[in-house]
Amino acid sequence: MVNALVFIEPSSGGLPVTDILDIAIGTITMRPYVFAFFTAYLVAAVPHLGWKKTLLFTVAGYLIAFASEYSSINTGFPYGWYYYVDTTRDRELWVAGVPFFDSLSYVFLTYCSYATALLVLGPVKKAGRDLVLLETGRLRRSFSVLFLASLFQVFLDIVTDPVALQGSRWFLGRIYGYKEVGAHFGIPLSNYLGWLLVSALLVAALQLIDRFGGRGEEKPAGVAAPPLRAFYGPFLYLCVIAFNLTVTLYIGERLMAITGFFIYTLPIAMAGVLLFQKVDRYHKDELAAHLAEFPWSNATSTGSGRPGASN
């Protein structure tokens, strides 16, 4: 097995400043789509969680993801044996054999999966032209959100990993491979089991940060209530799917693209129907609990709807 274990070690005289700058610039310019998604994550997460929690999760999420990848390329756990091909280490940032952008991707994949789970599970109020998710701390940190968000993130990998494995055929480039060819377009089952475990750890970390990261703050810095804020994370989730399916079609992998399309047809349809049916069908206690925790919410605006019959 090829084990691309590359440590960033300066020479005795240190790396030239120009080389450091080239690597820093290359890290972004070689993977603009990753940093576009990361920017979208910040736009969605900061108004939702605030700057402090968002930055805490960015660091914690990256470290958890990096640890999982470093472990797997050296021990086979949790994703199974795979390796990175370090052909770009002189053009972009690598950390101990793992491309920086790869571990960073877990952060926005986790958040958009978490936000999507919240929207699926939480009540929604129509407030003028806005749709407000009546979330509470209890919902944010519930096992239901943990479980569903973890599955949402695994489903993202079911679409992204097969096309990433074909990176030599598009602008990603060939960056990794598996020791043994897996049953799902070359991806082994162990990879998805590992993703389920790591996704659960990442969501749990986000939930812990949400609980303890902003204690004592009445309104965390950065938190805001722009129109349709609850849809920013789910929209990012759909953009990640669309991007990967588009690339899949671009490289001519029709069966792979059709499989990914049908994997998502049912859950997206179910989520859409559920959302349509539950708008303005909340209980008055759910609205009161939401406003007690988030008094700055747009849910205070007057809408055309009314609380549901369970009121």
Side-chain angles (χ1 to χ4, degrees):
M1 182 190 75
V2 180
N3 193 340
L5 184 59
V6 183
F7 290 90
I8 299 177
E9 294 179 347
S11 61
S12 57
L15 284 174
V17 174
T18 53
D19 288 351
I20 296 174
L21 289 175
D22 287 345
I23 290 175
I25 294 172
T27 300
I28 298 174
T29 58
M30 286 189 65
R31 315 295 178 192
Y33 54 96
V34 172
F35 288 91
F37 286 142
F38 184 76
T39 301
Y41 150 70
L42 294 178
V43 170
V46 172
H48 184 198
L49 305 172
W51 278 108
K52 183 178 180 180
K53 291 179 181 179
T54 300
L55 293 176
L56 283 173
F57 176 65
T58 299
V59 174
Y62 171 81
L63 292 176
I64 292 170
F66 168 75
S68 70
E69 295 199 279
Y70 180 79
S71 173
S72 207
I73 63 175
N74 287 282
T75 69
F77 178 82
Y79 306 109
W81 284 107
Y82 72 100
Y83 56 90
Y84 279 110
V85 181
D86 61 339
T87 54
T88 64
R89 65 170 173 167
D90 59 340
R91 290 177 288 158
E92 64 179 329
L93 180 61
W94 284 63
V95 182
V98 179
F100 174 76
F101 83 89
D102 201 59
S103 298
L104 185 67
S105 300
Y106 284 69
V107 175
F108 60 76
L109 295 179
T110 300
Y111 174 76
C112 70
S113 300
Y114 170 77
T116 303
L118 284 175
L119 185 61
V120 169
L121 294 173
V124 176
K125 179 182 185 292
K126 187 176 182 181
R129 295 183 178 181
D130 198 3
L131 291 175
V132 181
L133 176 65
L134 302 181
E135 61 182 337
T136 61
R138 182 177 181 181
L139 175 63
R140 283 186 178 189
R141 300 183 284 271
S142 66
F143 176 78
S144 296
V145 167
L146 171 65
F147 177 68
L148 190 59
S150 300
L151 286 179
F152 277 148
Q153 190 166 353
V154 173
F155 269 58
L156 280 178
D157 190 59
I158 291 174
V159 171
T160 60
D161 226 333
V163 69
L165 192 61
Q166 303 297 321
S168 60
R169 299 166 61 186
W170 55 288
F171 47 85
L172 173 67
R174 182 173 180 266
I175 61 167
Y176 82 109
Y178 288 94
K179 182 179 180 181
E180 297 179 356
V181 177
H184 182 247
F185 298 106
I187 310 297
L189 179 61
S190 59
N191 175 71
Y192 300 128
L193 294 176
W195 265 83
L196 182 59
L197 172 62
V198 175
S199 296
L201 290 175
L202 286 162
V203 177
L206 178 53
Q207 290 178 318
L208 285 173
I209 289 170
D210 182 53
R211 169 170 289 182
F212 300 110
R215 282 193 164 183
E217 295 178 305
E218 291 187 3
K219 183 180 179 181
V223 167
L228 302 176
R229 187 210 54 75
F231 292 82
Y232 293 4
F235 180 70
L236 173 58
Y237 188 94
L238 292 176
C239 286
V240 173
I241 297 170
F243 172 80
N244 283 277
L245 290 181
T246 300
V247 172
T248 305
L249 287 172
Y250 171 76
I251 64 175
E253 290 288 349
R254 293 182 180 180
L255 179 59
M256 189 186 297
I258 292 172
T259 301
F261 176 80
F262 281 114
I263 284 173
Y264 272 101
T265 299
L266 180 60
I268 289 177
M270 291 177 65
V273 171
L274 179 62
L275 176 63
F276 179 79
Q277 290 185 336
K278 71 179 181 178
V279 171
D280 270 345
R281 295 185 179 275
Y282 56 88
H283 192 280
K284 63 181 181 181
D285 291 341
E286 294 174 319
L287 176 60
H290 171 71
L291 291 176
E293 292 191 60
F294 310 108
W296 54 83
S297 169
N298 285 352
T300 55
S301 302
T302 302
S304 59
R306 62 176 179 82
S310 62
N311 209 2

